[in-house]
């Protein structure tokens, strides 16, 4: 772990094992922090903020450090990709093409924000004629981040980079299934001696104790959380004790709408990529495909044929499409939902089982085949609840109005897609979807330069983009009466009396 500039174990010396889900083999013993360790990390971040140079450095000075972190990531990309793949079960293809470069580009983007976003805004047009007014943008203070297991390295970058860029100090807790890549990043940063002590702290340990401390502790100024909606609600409760702002990036059940004028080949690619990438363990996955009735049968056949061809295997093999889910327990969750789907809808058209043809040495209980249920009623639980596995619900619709109504009939609103040959029609539909991101003729195209976050119970606030930087800053209004002598203020007289 990294606390106050020192690489350390938990004070208790306790550890927990982390496993490679593909094989079940133990990879490492991870420090198991407790509340006391969390409090130490928070105190270090507090001191680094209150007394340290970091919040007072200029944006370009901080940007230089963030770019150095981006370079560290690039220099260690191969090692980090392997750690990410082995610890979380995602393919090495995804880790090396998306996760590690994605985190690097997040540090680069927020370095650019620190360089270019103004710290001061002049305010014109005061109703009090003699005054000068401006806004200062200041860091919030100590920012904690709690992240999930599905994209551990990218999620770490999304929490650390904007917090540090804006002049805050940070304490990060990775998910217990996947702590290794964030700990490795902390180690690289500490060994390169890039940051003053306490500016970045990374601690591993259980959400129920360490995570709760990071959200509730009164020395913390902001908490950013990505994970389940259920824990997101708990984070809000914990943060409310000291009225600290929260950013929440929570669950989703996003709709990917396929209109009747779509190129079916391209739309099928967008639906399959949108659902099955990383085994569907993606918050913004388009797990409800809404398909217009006139193309429905042909399109569903195409989906089924292609889903059956997705290969499952060793995630460290560059030819593997899908690795295991993060843990056997996640496979059990998927099995429960597929059993429910059989009751609600009938048998899936493809998948619906663990694979029986894996190479020797791989754990068949950790994998699940891409699964498609057709003719799903949007009211069914499998269409309403986040499964977080490779399960697609296909839902027919008649008109664009119907598609919008079905898409919006969800407690979630994180993302969505519209596949169409008519860009005006697609954008009209996208504008009516109550959701934070819509990809037209594509899916999953996340970029640190664009804001990301949810409507409704998918979250609060935005990460990335300029919004994802500004959310890590306070706004202060300064009013200056340039008159430094005399007490002649007509507004005072008018409101109170002449005797002050
Ligand atoms: P959680 O929401 O439980 O975990 C996310 C993070 O929060 C982890 O770091 C976890 O720590 C921590 N945490 C857990 N409980 C608390 C708490 N009481 N206070 C503070 N922090 C806490 O997700 P799970 O890993 O349990 O996954 C459950 C389901 O959540 C999935 O099946 C999926 O539906 C959804 N999910 C959604 C994600 C998204 O990106 N929207 C990501 C991951 C999951 P620890 O790992 O130590 O428990």
């Amino acid at each position: 772990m990294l606390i106050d500039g020192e690489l350390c174990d938990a004070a208790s010396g306790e550890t927990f094992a982390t496993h490679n889900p593909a094989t079940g083999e133990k990879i490492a013993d991870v420090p198991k922090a407790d509340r006391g360790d969390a409090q130490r990390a928070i105190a270090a971040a507090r001191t680094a903020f209150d007394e340290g140079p970091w919040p007072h450095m200029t944006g370009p000075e901080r940007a230089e450090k963030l770019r150095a972190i981006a370079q560290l990531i690039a220099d260690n990309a191969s090692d980090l990709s392997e750690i990410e793949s082995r610890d979380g079960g995602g393919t090495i293809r995804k880790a090396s093409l998306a996760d590690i470069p994605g985190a690097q580009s997040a540090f680069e983007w927020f370095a650019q924000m620190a360089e270019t976003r103004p710290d001061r805004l002049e305010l014109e047009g005061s109703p009090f004629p003699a005054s000068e007014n401006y806004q200062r943008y200041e860091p919030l203070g100590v920012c904690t981040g709690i992240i999930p297991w599905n994209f551990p390295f990218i999620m770490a970058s999304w929490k650390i980079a904007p917090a540090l860029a804006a002049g805050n100090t940070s304490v990060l807790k990775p998910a217990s299934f996947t702590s290794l890549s964030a700990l490795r990043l902390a180690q690289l940063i500490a060994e390169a001696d890039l940051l003053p002590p306490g500016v970045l702290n990374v601690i591993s340990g259980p959400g129920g104790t360490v995570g709760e401390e990071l959200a509730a502790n009164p020395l913390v100024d902001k908490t950013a959380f990505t994970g389940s909606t259920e824990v997101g609600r708990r984070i809000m409760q914990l943060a409310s004790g000291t009225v600290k702002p929260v950013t929440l990036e929570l669950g989703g059940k996003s709709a990917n709408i396929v209109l009747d004028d779509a190129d079916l080949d391209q739309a099928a690619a967008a639906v399959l990529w949108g659902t099955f990438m990383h085994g569907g363990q993606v918050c913004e996955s388009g797990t409800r495909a809404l398909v217009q009735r006139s193309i429905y049968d042909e399109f569903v056949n195409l989906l089924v044929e292609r889903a059956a061809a997705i290969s499952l295997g060793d995630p460290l093999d560059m030819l593997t499409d899908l690795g295991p889910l993060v843990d056997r327990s996640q496979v059990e969750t998927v099995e429960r939902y597929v059993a429910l789907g059989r009751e609600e809808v009938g048998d899936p058209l493809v998948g619906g089982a663990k694979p029986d043809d894996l190479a020797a040495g791989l754990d068949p209980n950790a994998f699940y085949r891409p699964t498609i249920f057709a003719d799903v009623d949007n009211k069914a639980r499998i269409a309403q609840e986040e499964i977080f596995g490779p399960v697609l619900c296909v839902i027919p619709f008649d008109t664009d109005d119907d598609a919008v109504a079905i898409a919006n009939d969800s407690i979630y609103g994180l993302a969505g897609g519209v596949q169409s040959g008519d860009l005006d029609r697609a954008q009209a539909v996208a504008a009516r979807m109550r959701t934070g991101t819509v990809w037209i003729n594509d899916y999953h195209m996340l970029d640190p330069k664009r804001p990301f976050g949810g409507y409704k119970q998918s979250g609060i606030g935005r990460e990335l983009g300029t919004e994802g930087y500004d959310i890590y800053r306070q706004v202060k209004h300064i009013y200056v009466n340039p008159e430094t002598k005399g007490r002649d203020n007509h507004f005072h007289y008018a409101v109170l009396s002449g005797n002050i």
Side-chain angles (χ1 to χ4, degrees), residues 15-30 82-90 149 175-180 315 324-328 363 366:
T15 58
F16 61 95
T18 191
H19 297 89
N20 176 345
T23 60
E25 72 173 331
K26 180 171 137 182
I27 311 174
D29 288 314
V30 180
E82 188 178 334
I83 292 172
E84 192 74 334
S85 178
R86 290 182 73 208
D87 201 20
W149 41 258
S176 295
F177 282 143
T178 55
S179 300
L180 296 185
L325 301 190
V326 70
D327 187 74
R328 282 177 170 200
D363 176 5

Side-chain angles (χ1 to χ4, degrees), residues 39-61:
Q39 286 159 1
R40 265 196 309 136
I42 291 166
R46 185 79 261 162
T47 304
F49 185 80
D50 292 343
E51 298 171 17
W54 189 255
H56 309 295
M57 286 164 62
T58 64
E61 285 168 342

Side-chain angles (χ1 to χ4, degrees), residues 1-11 13-14 30-33 37 40-41 183 186-187 190 201-204:
M1 303 195 300
L2 174 63
I3 299 179
D4 205 12
E6 300 290 330
L7 293 169
C8 61
D9 291 324
E14 276 197 64
V30 180
K32 186 176 176 187
D37 295 302
R40 265 196 309 136
L183 291 172
Q187 188 182 26
N201 306 271
V202 178
I203 54 175
S204 43

Side-chain angles (χ1 to χ4, degrees), residues 146-481:
I146 302 169
I147 57 173
W149 41 258
N150 52 346
F151 288 87
F153 200 66
I154 284 198
M155 290 295 112
S157 74
W158 288 15
K159 300 292 182 270
I160 297 169
L164 265 48
N168 304 283
T169 57
S170 169
V171 183
L172 179 84
K173 188 201 98 62
S176 295
F177 282 143
T178 55
S179 300
L180 296 185
S181 58
L183 291 172
R184 178 74 181 130
L185 178 65
Q187 188 182 26
L188 289 170
I189 291 170
E191 287 170 358
D193 201 16
L194 278 179
L195 301 171
V199 169
L200 172 65
N201 306 271
V202 178
I203 54 175
S204 43
T209 51
V210 173
E212 297 226 346
E213 189 66 34
L214 296 188
N217 191 297
L219 299 180
V220 173
D221 296 293
K222 174 196 165 81
T223 296
F225 169 79
T226 300
S228 61
T229 295
E230 187 187 352
V231 175
R233 290 189 192 104
R234 176 79 182 135
I235 299 284
M236 279 183 90
Q237 284 173 344
L238 293 167
S240 71
T242 50
V243 198
K244 57 173 77 74
V246 291
T247 311
L248 301 177
E249 202 265 274
L250 309 176
K253 196 75 190 179
S254 297
N256 197 349
I257 299 173
V258 184
L259 300 176
D260 56 5
D261 57 10
D263 178 287
L264 296 194
D265 193 49
Q266 183 188 23
V271 168
L272 294 168
W273 153 251
T275 312
F276 295 126
M277 195 265 284
H278 198 27
Q281 300 169 112
V282 188
C283 47
E284 83 270 6
S285 284
T287 45
R288 292 183 296 149
L290 315 190
V291 183
Q292 198 146 15
R293 216 175 287 275
S294 53
I295 55 165
Y296 186 82
D297 290 340
E298 186 184 354
F299 190 70
V300 170
N301 287 338
L302 202 53
L303 289 180
V304 168
E305 184 190 317
R306 295 212 192 155
I310 294 173
S311 73
L312 274 65
D314 180 357
L316 290 173
D317 182 339
M318 276 305 262
L319 296 178
T320 297
D321 295 333
L322 280 185
L325 301 190
V326 70
D327 187 74
R328 282 177 170 200
S329 59
Q330 197 62 21
V331 175
E332 286 161 14
T333 301
V334 172
E335 284 182 310
R336 281 195 296 277
Y337 272 107
V338 170
L340 176 66
R342 286 196 156 96
E343 284 170 28
E344 290 185 314
V345 179
D347 285 339
L349 301 184
V350 66
K354 295 186 269 199
D356 52 13
D357 54 356
L358 290 174
L362 297 177
D363 176 5
N365 291 316
F367 290 75
Y368 204 85
R369 287 170 54 201
T371 298
I372 298 179
F373 286 99
D375 300 331
V376 178
D377 182 337
N378 192 55
K379 298 288 184 204
R381 278 182 60 198
I382 60 164
Q384 289 290 326
E385 297 177 18
E386 184 176 52
I387 299 174
F388 234 59
V391 181
L392 173 66
C393 295
V394 190
I395 301 170
F397 71 88
D398 291 307
T399 65
D400 293 12
D401 287 350
D402 294 339
V404 170
I406 296 169
N408 289 341
D409 181 14
S410 169
I411 61 165
Y412 297 114
L414 189 55
V418 184
Q419 315 303 321
S420 169
D422 179 340
L423 297 182
D424 290 335
R425 182 182 174 198
Q427 287 175 78
V429 170
R432 296 166 66 198
M433 292 168 76
R434 298 199 59 224
T435 194
T437 297
V438 181
W439 291 284
I440 292 174
N441 293 332
D442 220 318
Y443 212 87
H444 281 318
M445 305 312 283
L446 287 171
D447 174 352
K449 300 186 199 68
R450 322 290 174 214
F452 179 67
Y455 283 38
K456 300 188 270 182
Q457 293 187 38
S458 287
I460 297 178
R462 293 292 177 272
E463 298 191 291
L464 311 181
T466 50
E467 288 77 4
Y469 178 71
D470 289 341
I471 210 164
Y472 279 89
R473 306 201 296 176
Q474 277 285 13
V475 182
K476 179 185 283 176
H477 166 211
I478 305 252
Y479 166 102
V480 182
N481 177 359

